[in-house]
Amino acid sequence: MKTINGKLSIAIPTYNEEVDLKVCLEAISEQKYPRNLIEVLIIDNYSNDKTIEVAKSFSKKINIKIIKNKIKDAEVSKMIGFNNSSGEFFMYLDADMKFSDDRFIEKMLLPFKLDKRITGNLVQFVVNRKHPTLTRTLSYDEFQRDPIFKFFTIGIKDIVIEKKSEYWLCKCDKDKVPPQGLMIYKKKLIESYANGKKQLIDNEIPAVLIEKGHEYFAFVPSTGVEHLLLRNLNELWRKRVRNLERTYYPNVGERKFKWINWKKQWMMVGIWLIYSHIVIFPIVNAIYKSFKYRDICFLNEPMLNLVSTYSIIYGVLINIIKKRNKSKSI
């Protein structure tokens, strides 16, 4: 395999992640890539478990920088990591993510060398059969989307223009923005966008690059990231509401990418509500997928659809109430 000698910076926000972080860092330390070209930045929200001890235990295997951050916001931590990184290429990882094989970095950086037009490489989520059923249900989608988000957004098949042996070449435009924040990209291309911002909102980056005229991306189907995203439906609810509260609404006026275009897709909203509530349709779909992928995890999907839908409705209503209360107090 041809190689590219570029330095990759990986930012990992943490708070009490001693168990998951060990798995994440082990996968990084096992990479078949020059150690001096891998930089790991741990941005920690003052964990009170052994997260920092775990991070330090890998200091002889990989180049690790530990940064303390009092603000418990993953997007703020990602921006701190971005601003303190020194690599030509940048990506973030959640502590509960791990590379699926020991040549992930090599495979993911290669397209940048083979095609100079490529400015970002979209990371694929892959299934780990040992993960909880809810996580597996989502991980069969390359971008690990809930069914509701998959219904409203494009997939990798919508942007691939050529399937090469090492990677798939993708071409995007303002109407075809991939709904994926987990990616490796050339850091210098978004430095001006990131300048002065407190949060680095990961799924904004493809839209930022496209707006700057960088239309070509890569996708490597032979590798990816395993993400232990959900253990139960309660966790799904909390994450959806939190993302709306901390990430979506505080930046809604400036966002370049939105999951749903309310002006153009209002009919699709109605179709989704009908589909998710006439339960027989999701049940039939779940049974079909269970046979197709030989995994009973999809039997979760009808309930997952409803919880995801109502968590978003709840998050929107809470925001409306907060806005009204704020306007009354002025």
Side-chain angles (χ1 to χ4, degrees):
M1 176 180 285
K2 300 176 183 177
T3 59
I4 177 170
N5 295 319
K7 185 175 183 180
L8 173 65
S9 294
I10 306 170
I12 307 176
T14 60
Y15 179 69
N16 292 346
E17 301 282 4
E18 61 177 78
V19 176
D20 291 335
L21 182 63
K22 182 179 180 181
V23 177
C24 178
L25 293 179
E26 281 179 347
I28 296 175
S29 68
E30 293 169 356
Q31 289 296 296
K32 307 295 185 184
Y33 197 74
R35 293 291 179 266
N36 63 314
L37 296 180
I38 303 175
E39 173 186 57
V40 177
L41 302 104
I42 305 293
I43 307 91
D44 186 69
N45 294 146
Y46 288 84
S47 295
N48 51 37
D49 65 354
K50 295 182 179 180
T51 294
I52 298 302
E53 291 179 39
V54 169
K56 289 180 177 178
S57 70
F58 284 86
S59 59
K60 292 183 179 180
K61 297 180 180 180
I62 46 180
N63 176 23
I64 289 185
K65 183 187 296 184
I66 299 173
I67 305 170
K68 293 287 189 175
N69 172 30
K70 292 182 179 180
I71 303 173
K72 291 182 180 180
D73 185 314
E75 277 62 43
V76 171
S77 292
K78 290 171 190 175
M79 182 61 80
I80 292 172
F82 181 86
N83 290 332
N84 285 274
S85 64
S86 60
E88 177 187 356
F89 301 97
F90 180 85
M91 74 176 300
Y92 83 91
L93 283 178
D94 290 342
D96 55 4
M97 295 178 179
K98 68 179 289 288
F99 297 149
S100 63
D101 66 80
D102 60 8
R103 295 193 178 276
F104 172 87
I105 294 178
E106 180 182 21
K107 291 177 181 178
M108 292 297 289
L109 292 184
L110 181 59
F112 293 102
K113 181 177 182 178
L114 299 180
D115 191 333
K116 299 300 181 183
R117 296 174 298 173
I118 292 172
T119 55
N121 195 341
L122 303 164
V123 176
Q124 174 183 216
F125 286 105
V126 298
V127 179
N128 182 334
R129 289 277 184 159
K130 295 180 181 179
H131 280 171
T133 56
L134 277 176
T135 290
R136 298 205 311 272
T137 303
L138 301 185
S139 298
Y140 280 97
D141 177 71
E142 68 270 14
F143 297 147
Q144 207 174 43
R145 294 169 293 177
D146 292 4
I148 183 173
F149 292 130
K150 188 174 181 179
F151 184 74
F152 286 100
T153 58
I154 64 171
I156 196 67
K157 62 179 176 58
D158 298 305
I159 55 176
V160 171
I161 59 172
E162 184 178 357
K163 293 184 178 181
K164 299 176 179 287
S165 58
E166 296 92 353
Y167 67 96
W168 295 354
L169 180 64
C170 306
K171 186 176 183 182
C172 307
D173 57 46
K174 63 182 180 62
D175 296 319
K176 284 188 176 182
V177 179
Q180 174 64 308
L182 187 59
M183 61 185 296
I184 296 177
Y185 52 87
K186 294 179 179 178
K187 180 186 174 184
K188 66 179 181 180
L189 297 179
I190 69 159
E191 285 179 336
S192 59
Y193 161 78
N195 185 35
K197 287 184 169 58
K198 292 183 178 180
Q199 293 179 313
L200 185 64
I201 302 173
D202 46 72
N203 55 24
E204 282 282 272
I205 304 306
V208 171
L209 290 170
I210 292 168
E211 186 179 69
K212 290 177 174 290
H214 305 297
E215 301 176 327
Y216 291 95
F217 294 77
F219 180 82
V220 181
S222 63
T223 192
V225 164
E226 298 173 7
H227 185 197
L228 183 54
L229 179 62
L230 297 173
R231 292 172 175 84
N232 52 61
L233 289 171
N234 181 53
E235 190 175 5
L236 170 63
W237 181 282
R238 287 188 289 104
K239 285 187 175 183
R240 293 295 170 260
V241 174
R242 182 186 63 197
N243 288 342
L244 283 169
E245 180 182 359
R246 293 185 182 180
T247 306
Y248 183 80
Y249 280 114
N251 305 282
V252 66
E254 301 176 2
R255 286 188 69 102
K256 300 179 184 299
F257 173 75
K258 298 177 181 178
W259 290 92
I260 300 174
N261 185 324
W262 295 101
K263 293 181 179 179
K264 294 182 178 180
Q265 296 180 302
W266 60 271
M267 287 187 66
M268 290 182 66
V269 172
I271 293 172
W272 172 261
L273 290 173
I274 293 171
Y275 167 79
S276 60
H277 285 78
I278 301 180
V279 186
I280 186 63
F281 295 142
I283 288 177
V284 170
N285 193 30
I287 293 173
Y288 165 74
K289 289 180 179 178
S290 296
F291 279 104
K292 178 180 179 180
Y293 295 101
R294 298 182 180 180
D295 194 334
I296 62 170
C297 70
F298 290 102
L299 298 180
N300 290 300
E301 201 166 276
M303 184 57 67
L304 189 152
N305 290 347
L306 292 173
V307 173
S308 187
T309 299
Y310 280 100
S311 65
I312 294 172
I313 293 173
Y314 174 81
V316 171
L317 291 176
I318 289 296
N319 176 74
I320 293 172
I321 292 170
K322 284 183 178 179
K323 274 189 174 182
R324 288 181 179 177
N325 291 339
K326 186 177 180 180
S327 62
K328 288 179 181 180
S329 63
I330 297 176

